[in-house]
Structures are given as structure tokens and as C-alpha cells.
Amino acid sequence: MTKSRWMILVWILVLVVGCAESDPSDSSGSPGGSSVGPGSTAINAARIVAADDEPESWLAHGRTYDEQRFSPLDQINDGNIGELTLAWTYDTGGDRGHEATPIVVDGKMFLTADWSIVHALDAATGELLWSYDPEVPGEVGRIACCDVVNRGVAVWEGRVFVGALDGRLIALNSDTGEVIWDVRTTDPEKPYTITGAPRVVKGKVVIGNGGAEYGVRGYVTAYDAETGDRVWRFYTVPGDPSLPFENPALEAAAETWTGEWWKIGGGGTAWDSMAFDPELDLLYIGVGNGSPWTRVHRSPGGGDNLYLSSIVALRPDTGELVWHYQTTPGDNWDYTATQHILLADIEIDGEERQVLMQAPKNGFFYVLDRGTGELLSAENYVDVTWATHVDMETGRPVETEEGIYDDQPRMILPSPSGGHNWHPMTFSPDTGLVYIPTIELALIYALDSGFEYNAKTWNLGIDLAAIPKLLGEMPAVPTFGSLKAWDPVTQTEVWSQQHPGAFNGGLLSTAGNLLFQGTADGRFIAYSADVGEVLWEEQVNIGIVAPPVSYAIDGEQYVAVLAGWGGNVIVGMDAGVSAASTFENPGRLLAYKLGGEADYPDVRQKRQAFLAAAPGSGYSDQEERGQDLYHQLCAVCHGLLAVSSGVTADLRLMSDRVHENFDVVVRDGSLVENGMSSFADVLEEADVEAIRAYLTRRGDEDRAAAAQ
Ligand code: CA
């Protein structure tokens, strides 16, 4: 694998985060207020635990509670994969990131699109059974760090549970989509969001949240699946120490913090990963980064800042902490441990061990004893410059000088997108390998020495506006993505395949010796799981970040994946490489089987904008100030240097009409329904004009370059 594409890379923020909360607003919107009862979809604990007895279903987020994302089905296999063709498609109507894992049971498929909209389909034909739109206000898009995505529903005892972007947890009738109950899980006055899939464990729906880029306190909450009543809440970071601690675990954690971290919230949002071991009776939660990112601003006297960037093991009945392992003590880089948690039993040194595995953002692959949290091994799975290794005596990473940016900006690997982000891995018990969709990307970290908290913007503690000015001074670092087959016993790479884009799809492995992945550049690919040979490839012209699933109906095996690129790429990643750079980005479920007879609906090309657009006008002497403002407030969605990933609007291409009405869009919020909130709270009219001047210059620059 040669690193064929070198580009200056930088990236700015990405990542997800979790969020935090404050207790007062945990109100129950409607338990008891609805007469709607459950539907007929009878998923329960016994059925999920025995999921291997019905491989035709995909009953839970990771298929099984151990979240291996391995399908025992083998009708489609490495011998007949060439006969795999499209069976049906379903368009969600959305055009932002689609990250969901479909749940498939009793012939029905339940999935989410962008803006937390739920769709129930006939899994054999794609026919729509019902849909439900939680009607998330458009302005919530502004406090979603990484696109208006949702990673899927949970289904349990006739109910479909969805976490809505605006912080609600909603139970729907599985037959009709009618609301059974709807509870608010976050304080609406604080910048919390929900993008993760709920999990149902022992009759309780568990949901976290995001928001650490904006300033919140992270937690997960368990609700009674039947009634929506809150059962317990576990905060991931301590609150104001002058108030009583919620539990002894938080009192202990407070010893690892300094300063007044609770005023911003501390972070530690748990926005994605969970797994459950029914025998050990442990629920595992991945905890996110600090709020703000920089430890000098968050905890100025030092400290590990528990339980940031940690895996915590909780009792599912009470939320009590049993053990924790912190991957990045004193996180300084947005290195969350919210990435996929995967449980397996593997032989290490001749002994069968019950392990928990994770490839968090910080670049190291961890194997832990999942009963105790003991570190069994850790090795880097991508290039890492912030630490040399993990010390097996202390269990701590050994930081490097190159990773410290307090005194000077540094180009650091991995970036805040991580060596691996939320895109799920898979473990094949047949090969004994873990497959990782990696992100090879660096970021310039520059300390914002004048950092002050502003509830209306990102609060990182690093200076995003410095990045464009430093680009020419830093070494070029290659940007790409790869699919790595990783041996968790020897902690070595067995094979890998490189992709041109950094942000590719999650993974599915099957008993047919197959491994499926979609890519940023709009392909859907099947590899042999054992040696990584490309066996089958479809050009679908829609970028894919979601993980595929497999199921069977009437004796026919299907492989299905949700296309629709987005997520943390909205900061402008993979511009020019992604399918979204060339084509429109419709959310579309693609279902395949052997001998399927469906055709691909067209995906329209975008207009060839640079050469077609009129030259800009209206430069002003304010455009340099506009560049700073743009990178402080706009680049997180519209891209560094105003180069869009293709998921959000490319502001270099604004029409004359948009130029004329730019202030109406930016300050009056005329496009709020599309997720473009008003910024009148932080921008004056002259500021908006300065930003417009900067965008005009950037459009002209790139148009001139394209014309040569
Ligand atoms: Ca984050």
C-alpha cells in the first residue's frame, strides 16, 4: 500500500463529543400522557442473548450485546459474491449524513435518517410501512458538532426507541410509529445533542448525549422501557465540589481535577459506544473528551480528569461504577474513548480471556479484561506522534514533546477525528481478527492563550483561526483512510487496504468469509475476510459512512447499507475526493441479494460550479478579518478555507442572489429550516460583510485555479 495521495491536511475539528447536562431539566415530557400501546415486535432480552439462534435477524445495534457485528449467515460467500446484485432501494428524502445501523426483525427494517427521522420498511421489498419525524428545530443544527446525524434505533417489546437531536428520547409503537412516550433527557438551555443509538438492557433504555465542544457535563441515563420513567443517571465527570457529589465514584474523580472545571461543564460526553455482558452483569460505556479540549484551560493545576476519555463498567440496574480504564489521562487533543466497544473471548498466552477491545481516537488499540478492567495489551494501530507507547506497568500512555502545544503550534497525529472515529469495527470469530476503519489525518493544534468561554460557539481552547496562517509553515502529512485487519492477540496488522478518502464506512463481517465496507468516494466493496482480497465492488456514487448489516427473509440472505455521506466530514474533509464533491448526496438504503433485479436510481451530478459561476464582487479591506471570523464560526460546518466536503453548502459558489441576501441568511436565519441557524447573537452586520468578502475572494481564487 503506497501512500499515494499527499495533501496538506489539516483538519479542524471533528469529532464528536458528548455532552453533559444539568439536572434540573430532566423533565418527562409525556410518560403517562399517551394512550398509545406497544406494537407487535417482540424483541426481548432472551432473544438478543440468543441472537445466534436466529441469524436471519439483526436485533440490536451491534447485532448482539457484545457488538461484534458478525453475521453467521453464509449463503452469500466468497465463492458466489460475484452474483450479488441490487434487490431494492429506499430513499429517505434526507441529504445530510446517514450513520444508522438498521434493526431487522420479523421481516421489518427500522432505521433513522438525518434529523433523527425514523423509517420502518418491509425488509424484503423496501416498501415504506411508516415514518416518524420528531420535528427537531432547525436551529439545533448549530449545536451539533458533527452534522445532524443519528446512528439508529433500538427495538424492544413492541417499541422503537430513538434519541432525537434536540435531546429527547422517544418511544414509538413498532407497528404504527405513534408516540408512546417522549422524555427530555437534557437541559434545553444547554448545548446538548443526541446522535447515538439507544441500547435496551434489562428493560431499561440507556442513552447518552453530545456537546463537549460547546461546554457541557457528560452523562448517561437509563429509562424504564415501558413507562419512560428515569431509573438512574451516571455522570461521567464531577460537578461543583461545593455541592454534594452524586456518588462515591464522582467524589473520587474530583480529586483528579483542578480549577473550576464545572463552570464550563468538563465534558466527558458519552455519545456513542456501549456494550453489555449479561453474565458479568456489566454495561460498558465509552466516555468522550474534555470540555474545553485544552487541559491548561480546563484543569489548570493538572490532573487526569476522570472519567474523561475512559471506558467505564457500570451495573445496569443501578448505574453504579464497577471499574474504569482511562485511555488518555488529562486529555488535551479531543481523544475520546467513545469509539466502538467490542467484547469477545480470545486466547491469550494459552488462556481463554474475556476481553473488551477498543480503538479509541488516540491511536492505540486496547485489549482489557472486561471483568476487571485490567490492561492486557495496547499497541498503536495508526501513526501516533503524541505518545511513544502505553506503559504496561502503569497502564498510561507516555507523552512526547511533539504532542505538547502549550508553547508553539504542533502538527499532531492523530487529529481530533482520531485514528478511528465512530464508524464501527467488526470482529470475526472465524478469522480471530478485528477490522478497523482507520483515519490517517493530522491537525495543527495551536493554543488559544486568550481563551474565554462563550456559550454561543465552540469552546475548544485551541485557535482554529490560526490554522490557515500556519498551513504553509508545517510539513505536509498524508491524508487517507484505510481498512486494517488487526490481530488482537499479537497486536499486529495482518493486512490492510488503503482508500483515497479518510472518512469511510463502518464494517460488517460474515460467516461467508466476507467483509463489507462503503467508502467516501461512493463505492460499496466486499473483501475476503481472511486475506483482504477485493472480491466485489459496486460504484454507487453516494459516499457511505454507515455500517452494513445482513439478514435473511424466506431463505434469502440480504446485505444492506445506508448510503449518504456526512458526519464529522462537514468540516471540509475529503473535499474533491468524496462522492459528495461531484454528486448530490441522497440518503438511500441499498439492499443486495444473490440475483437481485433492481436498478440503481440516478444520482445527479452537481453543477460544474467554478467555471460557471459569475466572478465575485464586493471585496473590501475587511476580508482578512472575515477569514478569522469564518474560521472561528463557520468552518466547522462549511470547511477549512471555505472548501466544502460537499455535504453542506459550498460558500465559494454562492449565487448573486445569495450574495445579495447573505445577511438575511446569516443573521436573520432565513434558512434555519435547513439547519443554518441565525448568528445574530455573535455577528454584527459589518462582520457578516467581512465574511462575505473573504468568501468572495476564495471563490475567485479557486475559480481562477480551475480555469488554468
Ligand atoms: Ca469531541
Side-chain angles (χ1 to χ4, degrees):
M1 294 301 101
T2 59
K3 297 180 174 179
S4 59
R5 189 165 64 89
W6 288 72
M7 60 181 282
I8 290 183
L9 133 266
V10 170
W11 173 112
I12 290 203
L13 352 137
V14 159
L15 226 238
V16 177
V17 173
C19 91
E21 95 72 308
S22 76
D23 239 89
S25 61
D26 175 64
S27 63
S28 290
S30 64
S34 168
S35 60
V36 176
S40 58
T41 311
I43 295 179
N44 55 34
R47 205 169 164 187
I48 297 177
V49 169
D52 284 349
D53 294 341
E54 51 172 315
E56 67 274 19
S57 299
W58 192 283
L59 298 171
H61 189 64
R63 192 181 76 84
T64 47
Y65 275 136
D66 54 25
E67 304 242 344
Q68 291 184 0
R69 292 180 175 272
F70 169 82
S71 171
L73 296 172
D74 64 359
Q75 182 183 75
I76 302 166
N77 56 55
D78 55 1
N80 61 18
I81 183 75
E83 300 163 34
L84 190 69
T85 48
L86 195 63
W88 55 264
T89 64
Y90 172 78
D91 281 15
T92 68
D95 62 0
R96 298 286 292 268
H98 283 59
E99 297 187 347
T101 298
I103 302 295
V104 184
V105 60
D106 303 340
K108 296 176 183 171
M109 174 183 288
F110 303 92
L111 57 88
T112 52
D114 47 0
W115 294 105
S116 328
I117 298 173
V118 183
H119 299 255
L121 309 177
D122 181 317
T125 66
E127 177 196 355
L128 177 66
L129 303 176
W130 55 261
S131 65
Y132 168 74
D133 182 350
E135 297 183 349
V136 172
E139 56 262 29
V140 177
R142 180 171 160 189
I143 56 165
C145 75
C146 306
D147 203 353
V148 293
V149 294
N150 187 281
R151 285 182 288 280
V153 300
V155 181
W156 182 271
E157 300 281 19
R159 298 167 180 85
V160 175
F161 303 100
V162 61
L165 190 69
D166 56 3
R168 290 174 293 151
L169 180 68
I170 302 166
L172 307 172
N173 176 299
S174 66
D175 294 338
T176 65
E178 290 176 283
V179 175
I180 300 173
W181 52 258
D182 176 343
V183 299
R184 180 158 287 290
T185 75
T186 59
D187 181 345
E189 299 301 312
K190 297 193 172 173
Y192 285 103
T193 49
I194 296 178
T195 57
R199 311 298 203 278
V200 186
V201 171
K202 302 178 83 173
K204 288 172 273 292
V205 192
V206 185
I207 190 72
N209 44 50
E213 266 63 63
Y214 299 85
V216 293
R217 181 188 182 199
Y219 58 84
V220 291
T221 316
Y223 294 88
D224 184 293
E226 191 174 328
T227 64
D229 292 331
R230 178 168 145 184
V231 182
W232 55 258
R233 173 165 293 176
F234 177 78
Y235 287 93
T236 57
V237 298
D240 184 345
S242 71
L243 302 172
F245 293 106
E246 287 87 355
N247 56 54
L250 290 173
E251 186 168 8
E255 299 297 316
T256 68
W257 290 75
T258 54
E260 298 182 318
W261 71 89
W262 65 90
K263 290 187 172 176
I264 295 180
T269 48
W271 50 264
D272 191 54
S273 62
M274 302 183 212
F276 174 53
D277 185 322
E279 289 182 15
L280 293 171
D281 194 34
L282 290 174
L283 170 67
Y284 306 98
I285 307 281
V287 181
N289 58 280
S291 184
W293 288 359
T294 44
R295 54 192 177 200
V296 64
H297 297 123
R298 184 178 69 239
S299 185
D304 288 351
N305 295 180
L306 290 171
Y307 298 93
L308 295 183
S309 305
S310 299
I311 297 159
V312 296
L314 308 179
R315 286 290 174 224
D317 288 324
T318 62
E320 175 194 3
L321 179 69
V322 177
W323 60 255
H324 73 275
Y325 177 79
Q326 188 172 41
T327 60
T328 309
D331 171 39
N332 205 26
W333 306 270
D334 189 17
Y335 287 163
T336 70
T338 43
Q339 281 55 54
H340 185 183
I341 292 173
L342 199 161
L343 313 181
D345 296 344
I346 62 177
E347 190 175 306
I348 298 176
D349 295 334
E351 192 185 344
E352 176 120 321
R353 300 293 299 254
Q354 297 179 306
V355 305
L356 177 156
M357 297 181 280
Q358 190 188 51
K361 280 188 189 175
N362 75 11
F364 291 95
F365 187 93
Y366 293 86
V367 180
L368 307 179
D369 181 306
R370 70 173 178 268
T372 63
E374 177 195 357
L375 175 66
L376 300 179
S377 64
E379 295 291 342
N380 63 301
Y381 63 90
V382 289
D383 288 345
V384 165
T385 63
W386 72 280
T388 55
H389 65 289
V390 176
D391 184 318
M392 291 302 295
E393 292 297 312
T394 64
R396 299 169 67 90
V398 179
E399 292 184 15
T400 63
E401 191 72 18
E402 289 71 32
I404 306 298
Y405 56 93
D406 289 6
D407 298 325
Q408 65 179 94
R410 301 272 195 182
M411 181 77 88
I412 296 173
L413 284 164
S415 80
S417 289
H420 166 231
N421 205 298
W422 67 270
H423 317 76
M425 308 187 295
T426 181
F427 172 76
S428 167
D430 290 350
T431 64
L433 302 176
V434 175
Y435 302 90
I436 315 170
T438 72
I439 298 168
E440 319 267 348
L441 178 64
L443 173 72
I444 298 171
Y445 288 76
L447 190 74
D448 179 2
S449 53
F451 171 74
E452 287 182 28
Y453 178 66
N454 179 343
K456 303 294 186 184
T457 66
W458 282 38
N459 288 279
L460 307 184
I462 72 164
D463 183 4
L464 299 179
I467 291 175
K469 299 163 188 168
L470 293 166
L471 272 178
E473 302 171 19
M474 293 283 179
V477 175
T479 297
F480 58 97
S482 62
L483 169 56
K484 292 192 177 178
W486 193 260
D487 184 333
V489 177
T490 61
Q491 287 274 15
T492 54
E493 180 183 309
V494 176
W495 58 260
S496 74
Q497 289 276 4
Q498 188 170 318
H499 300 312
F503 292 83
N504 302 291
L507 303 174
L508 165 73
S509 61
T510 77
N513 188 34
L514 295 173
L515 178 68
F516 289 90
Q517 185 184 30
T519 63
D521 54 352
R523 292 172 296 150
F524 190 42
I525 305 171
Y527 303 88
S528 59
D530 50 1
V531 298
E533 184 187 351
V534 175
L535 301 177
W536 175 90
E537 180 176 313
E538 293 279 278
Q539 183 73 45
V540 302
N541 291 339
I542 309 170
I544 296 172
V545 283
V549 298
S550 191
Y551 60 95
I553 294 175
D554 295 334
E556 286 189 302
Q557 183 184 355
Y558 292 77
V559 173
V561 68
L562 195 51
W565 203 63
N568 49 4
V569 304
I570 58 174
V571 263
M573 296 318 307
D574 292 340
V577 174
S578 68
S581 300
T582 307
F583 294 94
E584 293 187 345
N585 188 45
R588 178 171 295 168
L589 195 291
L590 303 166
Y592 298 86
K593 66 178 182 180
L594 298 176
E597 296 183 341
D599 295 322
Y600 287 99
D602 283 344
V603 185
R604 289 187 301 185
Q605 286 213 17
K606 291 178 173 170
R607 62 200 172 102
Q608 294 297 308
F610 286 129
L611 296 172
S617 61
Y619 282 46
S620 78
D621 56 4
Q622 292 297 301
E623 59 103 358
E624 192 168 328
R625 193 170 70 88
Q627 172 176 303
D628 285 354
L629 288 167
Y630 173 86
H631 284 91
Q632 287 156 2
L633 294 168
C634 317
V636 297
C637 284
H638 291 283
L640 185 72
L641 302 173
V643 178
S644 169
S645 64
V647 178
T648 50
D650 193 320
L651 302 181
R652 298 170 300 170
L653 309 182
M654 295 189 295
S655 65
D656 289 349
R657 184 176 166 80
V658 174
H659 272 282
E660 287 166 16
N661 292 287
F662 194 56
D663 193 59
V664 178
V665 173
V666 176
R667 295 201 313 139
D668 296 350
S670 64
L671 294 179
V672 66
E673 291 301 315
N674 300 348
M676 174 59 200
S677 228
S678 165
F679 284 73
D681 52 346
V682 286
L683 292 173
E684 302 290 334
E685 186 173 358
D687 300 331
V688 174
E689 185 54 24
I691 292 170
R692 199 186 67 79
Y694 168 65
L695 295 171
T696 304
R697 173 169 70 80
R698 289 290 300 114
D700 282 359
E701 282 174 353
D702 288 355
R703 196 159 23 246
Q708 285 176 356

